């Protein structure tokens, strides 16, 4: 592409201070370095994790910063050594990346990569300890290696997953966090036996994905627990067989679910 190897100027939602409204700014996005890719973000969604670290209550504040980690985009250019993806490929960001070489990456029981495991305090790239974002020469820090609240972002190649270009990016973008989190929590962590009873607390995106995971695993009862009964009908589509609203009971919800 014409922009390969050049600094790109684009719009980004910048958090200058904890808890203060994001500001749409023109940022400069440097070219990707070795084992990095620059991605044109077409769709991004808001996850509560972004809000949590934007509020910076009890965490190390790293500002100014570009948040965002649940998105879909297209590879604009690649750095030296990148062979897994190429310009034009459709990708999803992955904040728990994989180097594919460390013991964790080679294990079927863990995805906590020694190199690319999530680090919320790090606001720079692993390769050289520098940010790829700047405004008038002032660095703007990254968030969990993704920073998708920008029209262009730079990520380690191990933090992107190539997907089928036929997949609609405005729909599959939530696979990069919410859906994979809920589905993986059920299938890979809880591992409910076929015919078991599973309770899902909270029927938002992550909860619905967890319910779908329980359905795939073969659970016979999938109990959806939520304070908002308007979510129940939609949750049936994801496998929930019955529902509990804690407001309707005067005893602990775990006692209700065991009935």
């Amino acid at each position: 592409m014409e922009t390969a190897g050049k600094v790109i100027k684009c719009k980004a939602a910048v958090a200058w201070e904890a808890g203060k409204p994001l500001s749409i700014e023109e940022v400069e996005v440097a070219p990707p370095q070795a084992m990095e890719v620059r991605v044109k973000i077409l769709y991004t969604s808001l996850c509560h994790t972004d809000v949590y670290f934007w509020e910076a209550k009890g965490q190390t504040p790293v500002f100014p910063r570009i948040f965002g980690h649940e998105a879909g985009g297209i590879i604009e250019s690649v750095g030296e050594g990148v062979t897994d993806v190429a310009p034009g490929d459709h990708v999803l960001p992955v904040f728990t990346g994989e180097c594919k070489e460390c013991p964790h990456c080679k294990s079927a029981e863990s995805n906590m990569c020694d190199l690319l495991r999530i680090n919320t305090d790090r606001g720079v790239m692993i390769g050289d300890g520098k940010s790829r974002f700047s405004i008038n020469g002032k660095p703007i820090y990254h968030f969990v290696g993704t920073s998708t609240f920008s029209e262009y972002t730079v990520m380690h190649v191990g933090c992107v997953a190539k997907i089928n270009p036929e997949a609609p990016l405005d729909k599959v973008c939530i696979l990069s966090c919410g859906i994979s989190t809920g589905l993986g929590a059920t299938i890979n962590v809880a591992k409910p036996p076929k015919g078991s009873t599973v309770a899902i607390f909270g029927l938002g995106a992550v909860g619905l994905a967890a319910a779908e995971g329980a359905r795939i695993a073969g659970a016979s009862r999938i109990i959806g627990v939520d304070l908002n009964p308007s979510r129940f009908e939609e949750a049936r589509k994801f496998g929930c067989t019955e529902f509990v609203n804690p407001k309707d009971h005067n005893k602990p919800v775990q006692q209700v679910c065991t009935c």
Side-chain angles (χ1 to χ4, degrees), residues 12 16-17 44 58 63 67 77-78 86 104 132 137-139 181-182 200 205:
W16 291 100
E17 298 179 58
T44 188
F63 295 95
F67 286 98
S77 59
V78 302
H104 285 286
R132 301 289 174 260
K138 177 182 175 62
T181 298
I200 309 293

Side-chain angles (χ1 to χ4, degrees), residues 22 41-51 67-72 92-93 143 146-150 169-179 205:
L22 306 186
I41 298 296
L42 298 182
Y43 298 93
T44 188
S45 53
L46 176 65
C47 174
H48 195 268
T49 300
D50 297 306
V51 177
F67 286 98
H69 62 281
E70 194 174 58
L92 301 179
F143 177 63
T146 53
S147 292
T148 61
F149 290 174
S150 175
L169 288 171
D170 62 329
K171 303 295 194 303
V172 300
C173 63
I174 58 173
L175 288 172
S176 63
C177 181
I179 303 306

